[in-house]
Amino acid sequence: MDVVSPELNSLLPDEIMDTEAIEDIPQSQPDSTTARPEPSADTSVPMETDTPVAASENLSLCLDTSSTGHTQAVTTSLTTDSTFSITPVSQLPVSISSTSSPRFTLKPAMATSTATTKTTDSLTGTSVTTSGLQKLSAPFTISAANHQIILNKVASAQASEAAKAAGMQPQIIKQDGQKLLVTAIGKSGQPIVLQLPHTGSKPGVSLAAGDNKSAAPQYKVVTIGGRTELKPMMATAGNQLTTLQAQQLKAVQIAKKTPTSSAAPIKFIITKTVNSKGLNPQTSVSPVIAGRVLTQTSPVLPTRTITLTESHNTSIQSIAGKKIAISPLKTPSKNMKPVQSVAVGGVSGAQFKTIIPLATQPNVQQIQVPGSRFHYVRLVTATTASSTGQPSGPSTSSIQTAKPMVVSTGAVRMSVPIVPAQTMKQVAPKPLTSASVVTTTQTQQRLIMPATPLPQIQPNFTNLPPGTVLAPAPGGGNMGYAVVPAQYVTQIQQSPFVTLASGSGFAANTGVQTQAKLPLNGLSTADSTSRQRKPCNCTKSQCLKLYCDCFANGEFCSNCNCNNCFNNLEHETERLKAIKTCLDRNPEAFKPKIGKGKEGESDRRHSKGCNCKRSGCLKNYCECYEAKIMCSSICKCIGCKNFEESPERKTLMHLADAAEVRVQQQTAAKTKLSSQISDLLMRTTPVISSGSGRLPYTFVTKEVLEATCECLLEQAKKAEQTHQHQHQHQHQHQHQAEAERMILEEFGHCLMRIINSAGKAKADCASINC
DNA sequence: GAGTTTGAAACT
DNA sequence: CAGTTTCAAACTC
């Protein structure tokens, strides 16, 4: 399925990986009002997510796609993160229909907006200010049919035509002159298409990058198997692919890593401001493109980020240059808006996302991503000092309200809270009005915490610690998301919500959620999810230190045996503080300890190595052994026996295997025995009056038993006599075996007679009853 | 289940 | 960074 016409596709690069072809594309020129750093000539993006980007690159691009001179600011940054997310923020209310219709519509209530956007890069000191008017005249529709969502700000005939050409019904969100088309692959062969705001030739466009030629950035994000590709849609007015686009493409390609995980979902999170009023079956959403996040893991190196910001509101919107704070607790609530995010998963096979209303935290919404241990996404806007010294004057930012909305490919289930009264109060404490304008604020979104590593999906995510701020995903624009523990979702799932299905599975009442089976630290998520996490027993750490496995894994305590636990929503402040403390102590504290080793080494190895001294690294005290990996050169263990050729290790492995086999056999035997017992009980159930095929056990009466015993005794006597008279020469044991055989045979005969009698009685009974 | 051992995390 | 203490899990009985 493709929403792009063949001719458009023909213009798209075949491989995202082939970024060289697009590196020379002219990039946006900074305008006079903004001091934008020139995109680094080094546009290469390391494929390895753990490879730090040496240079900071911020590229802002304002695209005017509307005839009214609307301004769009696009700030792109490259990160090594493989996550591709989009967080559109807007104050335009969007209604989401939760009906069974495969389509739901987001209708911007706003008609015109004046926006001044200023983005400041905290690291580079560069800022971009954009101003302009935006007018949204046409309601935009998000249709999950065909597993795709198209945000078409421009009444783009291209997308529609392309979609039609592809034999699919285009799903478009029209926002008057701009086009944001996002299509995700829900099933194999279904591409993910993302059309970024399209810049037309219309004047009055304020381009932070100052390059109108780079307008019309339409991207086609295609995920095939485990790979994610972002392809620019260049068929529009002969637009050239900008460096920004190239960077986006590069960054996106990072997202896909493990080719083996064909089922690896691609997460797209589109955050839109949500009108708090939209708590009805239809949820009003203020379309905004803002926020997004992805920061490279290396704290030392400058971060390259990509931010796509698109203002659609009358209110001014600020764009986070690098990071978007999501933490609800640490950001001024006045300026925070609930964020509606849309996550598009690319997992092949049925998949759905769930939006769960946060019951305890304001400005927070969760997104449950089935098949992923990133169960929860919380997007919270945070206000920070805005850029200073901007020629354009004081930048202002409108309050943004957003709600997470998750859209996944394949069978998609979208859930929207239906108990807004309470939920909205918490989620969208301060609904925005179209006219509301707030003094400079910087929207930030943070990745709160990855529940567990998900290498195949988003390798970098696995390394993200709780509270980590994610820089913008390549090509994702202002997309950001926060991931928090599954328990968090569990804790809030009491709140009712409406489920929306999309695509083939988008119709309401779609099937059961299908968990994606993705590897997780060597284990599939199915395994990890099916296996309940061990409850912790912390007593002194309040579960806020890495002693606590729950906390260390970025999860909330749930069903644990801990005392004085602070690892929960009720103590979010303390928890966040603890997270920060841990990160301060060790920025990689929450990264998975088991990661990929060096070239030529084992695929999995402990990131730090163990320090065992007495266990020989052959007990679970050893983190290497516990992870079922061998110690590596970085281990500082003493007396290590956990290496390839270690006889002790082999012995242990064999014993473990044997034990496992025994367990399996025992389990199977128990199961079989249980089944047999159950079957026997069923068979022996009195059924005289039931008429079923079972025989009445009542025929095994005392008399029958006595008679049987007499028969057996008689047979034994007979065998004895036979032995005495005819087989004197036989050995004693031979005689014994013969006697046993005869007795058993007699027992069998007795049983047969009993069964026959019972059957006959049953037949007689049946005939009488009839 | 109580007590011991162990090594990572935290602390100094 | 090294040594020590704290902590909770792993292990033993």
Side-chain angles (χ1 to χ4, degrees), chain A residues 19 24 82 108 213 277 285-286 385 503 573 600 618 635 660 684:
Chain A
T19 58
D24 294 335
S82 62
K213 293 183 292 184
K277 296 177 181 178
V285 177
S286 297
T573 302
L618 291 181
C635 292
E660 185 176 0
T684 57

Side-chain angles (χ1 to χ4, degrees), chain A residues 689-706:
Chain A
S689 60
S690 65
S692 68
R694 301 189 184 99
L695 299 176
Y697 71 89
T698 53
F699 278 83
V700 186
T701 61
K702 181 181 178 181
E703 291 74 13
V704 172
L705 289 175
E706 289 177 348

Side-chain angles (χ1 to χ4, degrees), chain A residues 1-6 9 12 143-150 159-160 162-171 181-194 220-224 231 233 344-346 407-412 502-505:
Chain A
M1 177 178 68
D2 194 334
V3 297
V4 180
S5 62
N9 281 329
L12 299 176
S143 175
N146 296 326
H147 311 295
Q148 67 175 262
I149 294 174
I150 298 174
S160 300
K164 291 178 181 178
M168 57 169 288
Q169 183 178 1
Q171 292 115 33
L181 182 149
V182 178
T183 300
I185 298 175
K187 296 179 179 179
S188 60
Q190 293 178 340
I192 296 174
V193 175
L194 169 63
K220 174 184 178 182
V221 180
V222 177
T223 298
I224 300 174
K231 296 182 178 181
M233 301 175 68
V344 178
V407 177
S408 66
T409 60
V412 177
S502 71
S504 60

Side-chain angles (χ1 to χ4, degrees), chain A residues 386-466:
Chain A
S386 64
S387 61
T388 58
Q390 292 298 324
S392 62
S395 63
T396 60
S397 174
S398 62
I399 298 173
Q400 296 174 349
T401 301
K403 286 176 66 179
M405 178 177 67
V406 180
V407 177
S408 66
T409 60
V412 177
R413 190 179 75 178
M414 299 181 64
S415 299
V416 176
I418 58 174
V419 182
Q422 186 177 7
T423 302
M424 287 305 292
K425 182 177 180 181
Q426 297 171 341
V427 173
K430 191 170 184 177
L432 291 177
T433 59
S434 62
S436 63
V437 176
V438 178
T439 303
T440 302
T441 60
Q442 185 174 7
T443 301
Q444 290 184 342
Q445 293 180 346
R446 300 181 62 190
L447 173 68
I448 299 302
M449 181 179 294
T452 55
L454 203 63
Q456 281 66 17
I457 298 174
Q458 295 164 349
N460 282 354
F461 262 36
T462 64
N463 296 331
L464 292 176

Side-chain angles (χ1 to χ4, degrees), chain A residues 42-47 53 78-80 247 250-251 253-254 304:
Chain A
D42 181 11
T43 58
S44 63
V45 177
M47 292 306 297
V53 177
L78 290 179
T79 65
T80 57
Q247 292 175 343
K250 291 178 181 178
Q253 72 183 11
I254 298 173
R304 294 192 292 182

Side-chain angles (χ1 to χ4, degrees), chain A residues 364-376:
Chain A
V364 176
Q365 284 220 346
Q366 301 86 9
I367 296 175
Q368 181 178 1
V369 182
S372 169
R373 294 197 64 182
F374 295 95
H375 298 276
Y376 174 70

Side-chain angles (χ1 to χ4, degrees), chain A residues 517-536:
Chain A
K517 297 178 180 179
L518 296 172
L520 178 65
N521 258 358
L523 298 175
S524 68
T525 54
D527 294 338
S528 60
T529 54
S530 61
R531 185 188 311 156
Q532 283 290 339
R533 176 182 56 81
K534 292 176 59 177
C536 71

